[in-house]
Amino acid sequence: MLFNRSLTTLFAAVLFCSSVFAQGSRAASGQAKPISPDLFGIFFEDISYAADGGLYAELVQNRSFEYTPNDRRGWHSLTGWEYVTEGYGYGMLDVETSSPLHPNNPHYIVLKVEEPGQQGIGVSNTGYDGIYVRKGERYDFSLFARVLNGEAIPLVISLRGAKGEVYGEAAIRAEGDGWKKYTATVTAGSTDTAARLVVLAKGKGTLAMDVISLFPEKTFRNRPNGLRNDLAEKIAELHPKFMRFPGGCLVHGDGLGNMYRWKNTIGPVEQRVEQRDIWNYHQTAGLGYFEYFQFCEDIGAKPLPIVAAGVSCQNSGGTWRIGSTGQKGFSMEEMQEYIQEVLDLIEYANGSPTSTWGAKRAASGHPAPFGLQYIGIGNEDKQTDVFRDRFKMLYEAVKAKHPEITVVGTVGPSPAGEDYNLGWKFAGELGVPVVDEHYYEKPEWFLTHNKRYDSYDRARPKVYVGEYASWGNALFNALAEAAYMTGLERNGDLVRMASYAPLLANQHHTSWNPNLIYFTNTAILPTVNYYVQQLFSVNSGDWYYSNAVAFRSTKAGADTLLAASCVKDSKSGDIILKIVNAGNEPEDAFVHLKGLGALQSQAELYVLTGARDGKNSFEEPALIAPARSALVVKGSFSYNAPPYSLSVIRVHAKK
Ligand code: AHR
């Protein structure tokens, strides 16, 4: 073809012609730069009901009666519950704290059955916006109970519809004046998106009950106390290289008393410490550190726990404004204990099963270490002396005891400004290996900042782009992120990790927008941004090649609307091209693969395209999703990138 014959000449001209530009540095095609093996991962925070009422598969809301008005105005121990008397039964329902199941879990209910009537009396729970039950599926029920007065009390557990129709039931007998765990399995005979759980006592007496729980039998990888299968699968399909948890602002909390303390979140669920969620609801800690580590292992993601730097969020107390001063630090005495807590976390993850904290991991069913490599200290903290003193103590303690662990520091909430500058200076002085940058910006910002890391000093700490998103879930937003991600690949020697944020949001309880995945009890909405993340993660490489792709466009703004990268996955030998056209007209990308290994001519092509403002919705969750086809390629070829598109071309190595 005339076009192909002229390609070599064109490539020679690329670097000298102002209307033709290549992505990346001016190294010759074929010159490779290493890319971090952990580049694309996920950010998980219990925001917008991401954990409780989301990924954590518990179907009962407020199972331990620990809700309080501190969580949210109007909430109390019986939020989510109703007192039920049927068939002329009567009695009394109270909340008590005098003899709890465990001091960490002080509230429980006491049901006094004076007359059970024909049906019994008890309580019902509506879950998080109703309990979704599916015909033929089995549900694992459990509760802790004590008979305070009377003989053994028969209990009937049922799943019911709004009109009282019974979808399935099971029976247990509570007996003895000591807290005991009872379990039963209920099979649903019908599907209902808004069922409720009903527990009725059918004998006279007084009964204490706590931690009334219902899980689908089928959880992700069938783990007990597990995760909602469909949501966990959707996350697993991102093939993240790492997972950051548990936040976000949740980590440092709204005041020192609200900080996320990992030790409160392990062991038997009835002994965990529940607390107010900074995002105006309640954390059961049912999805705690053990479950986080387990999930990371299940999906092949390296765990990246973030611990507070001994200070609370600068916005504590509701002072959400620039320069707010709600930041409080632990006293120096408290810091000694807190430093040990952080060291203990490393032992919990990696220590031998005979060590104090490794034994606790083993007791939960995981004697093998979780292989922790990273730990983040701090989240977007204001760079004050209070922060700096505490960060330094923590950093030095971890470094001294665990030189094998890579510490990730923090440089404020924005891509520039005072905390960013001070944070970088401080991290550089201390020699922190990686720092965590955050930015939520307009799509135009991402398009015009594609070269942000090209000029970063390689002698300084590496970068973790721990939270980023453009403000929206339309295709144009996702393409701006895709274009930016080509820049992250190009700088994969410096940018060690990157995670879009936030990951999950319950559609009916969003505290933050946009998010990567929206869900309801019954459905999942992967945004267009989700598909961008997935295409990059699944098609990541370990070597970056400069100048393999060039554009020739004279249009205004073409240098920001067009972006591309070329990486090699050395395991398979495949070459992967990512070509972004965020403009409104088709554009030719000129690809030059010579010197990149022996490649097949049949390539896989994935194209994500649609209307600029197009979005996926619950009605049309795959309106904009990658379309796969075959593409014939040569050593040099041109690819016509559709308007508003991300194209991923995977060229397989010859076998
Ligand atoms: O991702 C949502 C929030 O944004 C995080 O909790 C916080 O770190 C950031 O400000």
Side-chain angles (χ1 to χ4, degrees), residues 270-290:
E270 66 277 10
Q271 297 179 14
R272 297 185 186 180
V273 181
E274 306 199 5
Q275 68 174 16
R276 177 168 60 93
D277 187 300
I278 192 172
W279 298 104
N280 198 28
Y281 56 100
H282 184 93
Q283 297 172 71
T284 64
L287 169 47
Y289 256 72
F290 181 81

Side-chain angles (χ1 to χ4, degrees), residues 414-416 420 437-453 456 465 467-471 476-477 480-481 483-484 488 560:
S414 313
Y420 170 87
E437 293 192 352
H438 291 184
Y439 28 88
Y440 298 93
E441 298 286 344
K442 290 181 176 162
E444 292 75 15
W445 184 93
F446 284 91
L447 292 171
T448 53
H449 286 76
N450 184 291
K451 297 194 169 65
R452 177 179 174 88
Y453 295 111
Y456 263 46
V465 187
E467 296 184 24
Y468 72 95
S470 76
W471 289 117
F476 188 66
N477 297 91
E481 288 151 13
Y484 195 75
L488 299 183
T560 60

Side-chain angles (χ1 to χ4, degrees), residues 13 61 104 137 154 185 196 203 346-347 377 394 403 411 440 513 539 577 603 616 645:
Q61 181 167 199
N104 288 345
E137 300 228 333
T185 301
R196 61 200 172 104
I346 298 170
E347 184 174 290
I377 301 177
L394 287 159
V411 294
Y440 298 93
N513 281 299
N539 294 295
L577 302 156
N616 292 337
S645 67

